Amino acid sequence: MSMNKTFGSMLIIAGTTIGAGMLALPLASAGLGFTTATLIMFGIWSLMTYTALLMLEVHQYADHQATLNSLARDLLGKKGQFLANFAVCFLMYSLCAAYIAGGGGQLNDKLNNWVGLEVSAQTSTVIFTLVIASIVAIGTHSVDMVNRVLFTLKVIALVVMLSLLAPNVEGGYLVNMPVEKGLIISALPVIFTSFGFHGSIPSIVRYIGLDIKALKKVMIIGSSLPLLIYVFWQLTSQGVLSQQDLMASNSLGSFIGTLSEMLHNPMVSQSVSVFADLALATSFLGVSLGLFDFVADSFKQNDKKHGRVQTAAMTFIPPLAFALFYPQGFITALGFAAIALVILAIFLPVAMVSAQRKQLEANSGYQVAGGKPALLAATGAGVLIITAQFLQMAGVIPAVG
């Protein structure tokens, strides 16, 4: 059973990571050229895997039911707990609102155009939310099972998409260098958010139990799958279109349109569309599972049926209301997503591990390699990403993706 859970958990991590945001990667890194973009992705992957392992180092001394709420309270006190709660709620609720809006729109499109049902956009959005909420409320095991099916379909769509593009790759396009150095900084927040899965780590720990060896495997392999897929996706998309064409595609729709036209193949846009739908669903499952467990821990909800229904209401009603009644609001919030993710995935793990290592002078348990220099390097990278995000908001450097 445990091997089975380990495999399922790797797919939950990978599924949470590979969201619909992956499709924006070629646009975000259009001006960088393939080599530079790949090096940045590799650097960010190393950073995120390192901080995920830091989270395991923290988890090993806590109750296996702990979420960031209780971990931060125990190691960083009330202020740390407040910051952790704010970052988790801000990031996960705005992501969920985005997934609900996107998923509701895609479902509405399918129901109206494919099935021929006349359904309002609001109804589709509510149906989509109810389906995901039910899967999450049943528990991690049901998320695992549904995620496996969706992930398999997602990989099939991806293989179709890449195999259509691959024969058209031109080596010349892949040796392009960055158009201007400022674009490297611009691309950081987009690429960084494409590797975020840290909100679901406590749910995975709760699911597998405190088996550090299995959890390490889950974090390393679960985060490596997206890296591998992203590199292939960049290779095919940046190899098929010239840098000028990529940089001219200012939206995802126009980028996919350009690809389909160039290859004279409607299958391209269909496989991309199916992939985007599935990527959104798996990402939403992973993020809302993390949020669900976080809410349950913060409000001390019981694990019985009644308690889980209440937790599901607190998890899904706020983002649903946002998506239905105030769509501009969460779009603005998503602009700050990279900053909340830096707090959640870099600053908090580093701070908690530093506090814990001070408390446990003779550390006999699992300790991530690298010592103080690695912690400082990770913090520096976090500061750089936040700075890039602020410079973009202020219009000092170009916004991408």
Side-chain angles (χ1 to χ4, degrees):
M1 180 59 190
S2 65
M3 185 57 213
N4 197 4
K5 275 189 174 180
T6 306
F7 175 70
S9 299
M10 285 172 192
L11 292 190
I12 290 178
I13 293 286
T16 306
T17 311
I18 307 170
M22 162 185 153
L23 297 169
L25 280 177
L27 302 181
S29 50
L32 300 180
F34 174 71
T35 313
T36 313
T38 305
L39 286 172
I40 293 175
M41 286 198 303
F42 189 78
I44 287 180
W45 167 80
S46 318
L47 168 69
M48 295 299 256
T49 308
Y50 168 71
T51 59
L53 295 175
L54 290 182
M55 285 300 299
L56 298 185
E57 186 181 323
V58 171
H59 269 285
Q60 71 184 329
Y61 297 106
D63 173 41
H64 83 283
Q65 301 277 353
T67 65
L68 258 177
N69 171 53
S70 39
L71 292 172
R73 183 193 62 222
D74 297 346
L75 286 164
L76 305 173
K78 278 269 182 268
K79 279 183 187 152
Q81 183 187 14
F82 174 77
L83 182 66
N85 287 352
F86 178 76
V88 171
C89 290
F90 183 84
L91 178 69
M92 290 177 145
Y93 276 122
S94 50
L95 282 176
C96 284
Y99 292 140
I100 287 171
Q106 285 168 339
L107 178 66
N108 191 48
D109 182 48
K110 303 285 179 290
L111 290 176
N112 286 335
N113 298 339
W114 292 12
V115 193
L117 289 173
E118 285 297 314
V119 185
S120 75
Q122 282 82 358
T123 312
S124 304
T125 304
V126 173
I127 294 171
F128 176 70
T129 309
L130 280 173
V131 172
I132 299 282
S134 311
I135 298 166
V136 172
I138 294 167
T140 307
H141 183 68
S142 73
V143 171
D144 180 3
M145 292 306 138
V146 173
N147 184 64
R148 285 180 199 210
V149 176
L150 295 177
F151 197 86
T152 310
L153 294 171
K154 181 157 88 170
V155 170
I156 294 169
L158 187 73
V159 169
V160 170
M161 188 162 95
L162 296 182
S163 55
L164 290 171
L165 296 175
N168 301 281
V169 169
E170 291 188 31
Y173 289 158
L174 296 173
V175 293
N176 286 332
M177 292 317 284
V179 181
E180 47 175 307
K181 297 289 177 277
L183 287 169
I184 295 182
I185 308 281
S186 296
L188 284 179
V190 180
I191 298 177
F192 171 69
T193 43
S194 307
F195 282 95
F197 57 87
H198 293 57
S200 24
I201 294 176
S203 302
I204 299 292
V205 173
R206 177 181 285 205
Y207 186 45
I208 290 185
L210 282 170
D211 176 349
I212 294 293
K213 201 172 153 204
L215 287 167
K216 270 173 70 179
K217 214 188 285 179
V218 167
M219 297 307 146
I220 293 167
I221 298 173
S223 66
S224 304
L225 274 173
L227 176 68
L228 198 67
I229 287 173
Y230 290 169
V231 170
F232 274 114
W233 169 235
Q234 292 278 45
L235 187 75
T236 47
S237 56
Q238 291 196 320
V240 171
L241 294 179
S242 70
Q243 211 164 8
Q244 287 71 31
D245 284 343
L246 266 173
M247 290 183 77
S249 304
N250 49 9
S251 76
L252 193 55
S254 67
F255 161 59
I256 292 163
T258 312
L259 282 180
S260 300
E261 267 168 50
M262 240 191 78
L263 308 179
H264 309 296
N265 195 336
M267 280 278 289
V268 174
S269 54
Q270 283 159 2
S271 58
V272 170
S273 160
V274 170
F275 176 83
D277 292 354
L278 294 165
L280 189 142
T282 55
S283 224
F284 186 24
L285 275 173
V287 169
S288 55
L289 172 69
L291 181 59
F292 181 93
D293 284 344
F294 176 82
V295 168
D297 178 53
S298 303
F299 291 97
K300 301 282 172 277
Q301 290 286 17
N302 70 24
D303 215 15
K304 303 282 181 291
K305 195 173 169 185
H306 181 67
R308 293 188 76 84
V309 170
Q310 280 182 332
T311 306
M314 288 192 274
T315 305
F316 291 97
I317 289 173
L320 175 62
F322 246 98
L324 288 175
F325 303 113
Y326 189 47
Q328 304 82 0
F330 76 80
I331 293 168
T332 313
L334 280 177
F336 294 91
I339 298 167
L341 185 61
V342 169
I343 295 171
L344 174 72
I346 302 180
F347 294 165
L348 283 168
V350 167
M352 292 193 296
V353 161
S354 306
Q356 188 162 279
R357 287 179 188 174
K358 277 199 192 91
Q359 285 173 17
L360 306 160
E361 283 307 329
N363 192 341
S364 54
Y366 168 61
Q367 192 165 353
V368 189
K372 274 220 173 87
L375 292 174
L376 284 170
T379 310
V383 172
L384 179 65
I385 293 162
I386 285 188
T387 309
Q389 184 75 52
F390 278 129
L391 288 173
Q392 258 179 23
M393 289 173 166
V396 179
I397 53 174
V400 291

Short mmCIF file of all heavy atoms in Angstrom, two decimals, residues 91-103 284 318-320 322-324 330 334:
data_model
loop_
_atom_site.label_atom_id
_atom_site.label_comp_id
_atom_site.label_asym_id
_atom_site.label_seq_id
_atom_site.Cartn_x
_atom_site.Cartn_y
_atom_site.Cartn_z
N LEU A 91 -2.54 33.14 -1.09
CA LEU A 91 -2.11 32.42 -2.30
C LEU A 91 -3.16 31.40 -2.72
O LEU A 91 -3.58 31.36 -3.87
CB LEU A 91 -0.77 31.72 -2.03
CG LEU A 91 -0.24 30.90 -3.21
CD1 LEU A 91 0.17 31.83 -4.34
CD2 LEU A 91 0.95 30.04 -2.80
N MET A 92 -3.60 30.56 -1.77
CA MET A 92 -4.45 29.44 -2.15
C MET A 92 -5.86 29.87 -2.51
O MET A 92 -6.46 29.32 -3.43
CB MET A 92 -4.44 28.38 -1.06
CG MET A 92 -3.09 27.69 -1.01
SD MET A 92 -3.08 26.52 0.31
CE MET A 92 -2.10 25.24 -0.38
N TYR A 93 -6.40 30.87 -1.80
CA TYR A 93 -7.74 31.33 -2.16
C TYR A 93 -7.72 32.02 -3.53
O TYR A 93 -8.63 31.85 -4.33
CB TYR A 93 -8.32 32.24 -1.08
CG TYR A 93 -8.99 31.49 0.06
CD1 TYR A 93 -8.57 31.66 1.38
CD2 TYR A 93 -10.04 30.61 -0.18
CE1 TYR A 93 -9.18 30.97 2.43
CE2 TYR A 93 -10.65 29.91 0.85
CZ TYR A 93 -10.22 30.10 2.15
OH TYR A 93 -10.83 29.40 3.18
N SER A 94 -6.66 32.82 -3.81
CA SER A 94 -6.66 33.49 -5.12
C SER A 94 -6.42 32.47 -6.24
O SER A 94 -7.01 32.58 -7.32
CB SER A 94 -5.68 34.67 -5.18
OG SER A 94 -4.42 34.31 -4.72
N LEU A 95 -5.58 31.46 -5.99
CA LEU A 95 -5.39 30.40 -7.00
C LEU A 95 -6.70 29.65 -7.23
O LEU A 95 -7.09 29.39 -8.37
CB LEU A 95 -4.30 29.41 -6.57
CG LEU A 95 -2.85 29.85 -6.73
CD1 LEU A 95 -1.92 28.80 -6.17
CD2 LEU A 95 -2.51 30.12 -8.20
N CYS A 96 -7.38 29.28 -6.12
CA CYS A 96 -8.64 28.55 -6.26
C CYS A 96 -9.67 29.36 -7.03
O CYS A 96 -10.39 28.83 -7.88
CB CYS A 96 -9.20 28.15 -4.90
SG CYS A 96 -8.32 26.76 -4.16
N ALA A 97 -9.73 30.68 -6.75
CA ALA A 97 -10.68 31.54 -7.48
C ALA A 97 -10.34 31.52 -8.98
O ALA A 97 -11.23 31.45 -9.83
CB ALA A 97 -10.63 32.96 -6.93
N ALA A 98 -9.05 31.56 -9.29
CA ALA A 98 -8.63 31.55 -10.70
C ALA A 98 -9.00 30.21 -11.35
O ALA A 98 -9.50 30.17 -12.48
CB ALA A 98 -7.13 31.78 -10.79
N TYR A 99 -8.76 29.11 -10.63
CA TYR A 99 -9.10 27.79 -11.18
C TYR A 99 -10.60 27.64 -11.37
O TYR A 99 -11.06 27.05 -12.33
CB TYR A 99 -8.58 26.68 -10.26
CG TYR A 99 -7.08 26.56 -10.21
CD1 TYR A 99 -6.41 26.31 -9.03
CD2 TYR A 99 -6.33 26.72 -11.38
CE1 TYR A 99 -5.02 26.21 -8.99
CE2 TYR A 99 -4.95 26.63 -11.35
CZ TYR A 99 -4.29 26.36 -10.15
OH TYR A 99 -2.93 26.27 -10.12
N ILE A 100 -11.37 28.17 -10.41
CA ILE A 100 -12.83 28.07 -10.50
C ILE A 100 -13.33 28.87 -11.71
O ILE A 100 -14.15 28.39 -12.49
CB ILE A 100 -13.50 28.57 -9.19
CG1 ILE A 100 -13.29 27.52 -8.08
CG2 ILE A 100 -14.99 28.83 -9.40
CD1 ILE A 100 -13.71 27.98 -6.69
N ALA A 101 -12.81 30.09 -11.88
CA ALA A 101 -13.22 30.92 -13.01
C ALA A 101 -12.83 30.25 -14.33
O ALA A 101 -13.64 30.13 -15.26
CB ALA A 101 -12.59 32.30 -12.91
N GLY A 102 -11.57 29.79 -14.39
CA GLY A 102 -11.09 29.16 -15.62
C GLY A 102 -11.80 27.86 -15.91
O GLY A 102 -12.27 27.61 -17.03
N GLY A 103 -11.93 27.01 -14.87
CA GLY A 103 -12.57 25.70 -15.05
C GLY A 103 -14.04 25.83 -15.37
O GLY A 103 -14.58 25.11 -16.22
N PHE A 284 -5.92 22.37 -9.54
CA PHE A 284 -6.98 22.79 -8.62
C PHE A 284 -7.16 21.74 -7.52
O PHE A 284 -7.30 22.08 -6.34
CB PHE A 284 -8.28 23.00 -9.42
CG PHE A 284 -9.43 23.56 -8.61
CD1 PHE A 284 -9.21 24.29 -7.45
CD2 PHE A 284 -10.74 23.38 -9.03
CE1 PHE A 284 -10.28 24.82 -6.71
CE2 PHE A 284 -11.81 23.90 -8.31
CZ PHE A 284 -11.57 24.62 -7.15
N PRO A 318 -15.65 30.88 -0.37
CA PRO A 318 -15.02 32.19 -0.65
C PRO A 318 -14.47 32.33 -2.08
O PRO A 318 -14.80 33.30 -2.76
CB PRO A 318 -13.92 32.28 0.41
CG PRO A 318 -14.38 31.37 1.51
CD PRO A 318 -15.10 30.24 0.84
N PRO A 319 -13.66 31.35 -2.59
CA PRO A 319 -13.15 31.56 -3.95
C PRO A 319 -14.26 31.50 -5.02
O PRO A 319 -14.18 32.19 -6.03
CB PRO A 319 -12.14 30.43 -4.15
CG PRO A 319 -12.45 29.41 -3.14
CD PRO A 319 -13.06 30.14 -1.98
N LEU A 320 -15.30 30.70 -4.75
CA LEU A 320 -16.42 30.64 -5.70
C LEU A 320 -17.11 32.00 -5.77
O LEU A 320 -17.41 32.51 -6.86
CB LEU A 320 -17.42 29.55 -5.28
CG LEU A 320 -18.70 29.44 -6.12
CD1 LEU A 320 -18.38 29.09 -7.57
CD2 LEU A 320 -19.65 28.41 -5.54
N PHE A 322 -15.82 34.90 -5.06
CA PHE A 322 -14.91 35.82 -5.75
C PHE A 322 -15.01 35.67 -7.26
O PHE A 322 -15.13 36.64 -8.00
CB PHE A 322 -13.47 35.52 -5.33
CG PHE A 322 -12.85 36.63 -4.55
CD1 PHE A 322 -12.80 36.61 -3.17
CD2 PHE A 322 -12.32 37.73 -5.21
CE1 PHE A 322 -12.24 37.65 -2.44
CE2 PHE A 322 -11.74 38.78 -4.51
CZ PHE A 322 -11.71 38.74 -3.12
N ALA A 323 -14.95 34.41 -7.71
CA ALA A 323 -14.95 34.14 -9.15
C ALA A 323 -16.27 34.58 -9.79
O ALA A 323 -16.28 35.06 -10.92
CB ALA A 323 -14.71 32.65 -9.40
N LEU A 324 -17.37 34.45 -9.04
CA LEU A 324 -18.68 34.80 -9.61
C LEU A 324 -18.94 36.30 -9.56
O LEU A 324 -19.45 36.89 -10.51
CB LEU A 324 -19.80 34.08 -8.87
CG LEU A 324 -19.94 32.57 -9.11
CD1 LEU A 324 -21.02 32.00 -8.21
CD2 LEU A 324 -20.28 32.28 -10.57
N PHE A 330 -9.66 38.83 -8.05
CA PHE A 330 -8.66 37.78 -7.93
C PHE A 330 -7.61 37.89 -9.02
O PHE A 330 -6.50 37.41 -8.87
CB PHE A 330 -9.31 36.39 -7.88
CG PHE A 330 -9.79 35.88 -9.20
CD1 PHE A 330 -8.90 35.32 -10.11
CD2 PHE A 330 -11.13 35.94 -9.53
CE1 PHE A 330 -9.35 34.85 -11.32
CE2 PHE A 330 -11.58 35.47 -10.75
CZ PHE A 330 -10.68 34.92 -11.65
N LEU A 334 -3.79 37.63 -8.20
CA LEU A 334 -2.83 36.73 -8.83
C LEU A 334 -1.53 37.44 -9.18
O LEU A 334 -0.48 36.82 -9.27
CB LEU A 334 -3.43 36.09 -10.09
CG LEU A 334 -4.36 34.90 -9.84
CD1 LEU A 334 -4.93 34.41 -11.16
CD2 LEU A 334 -3.65 33.77 -9.13
#
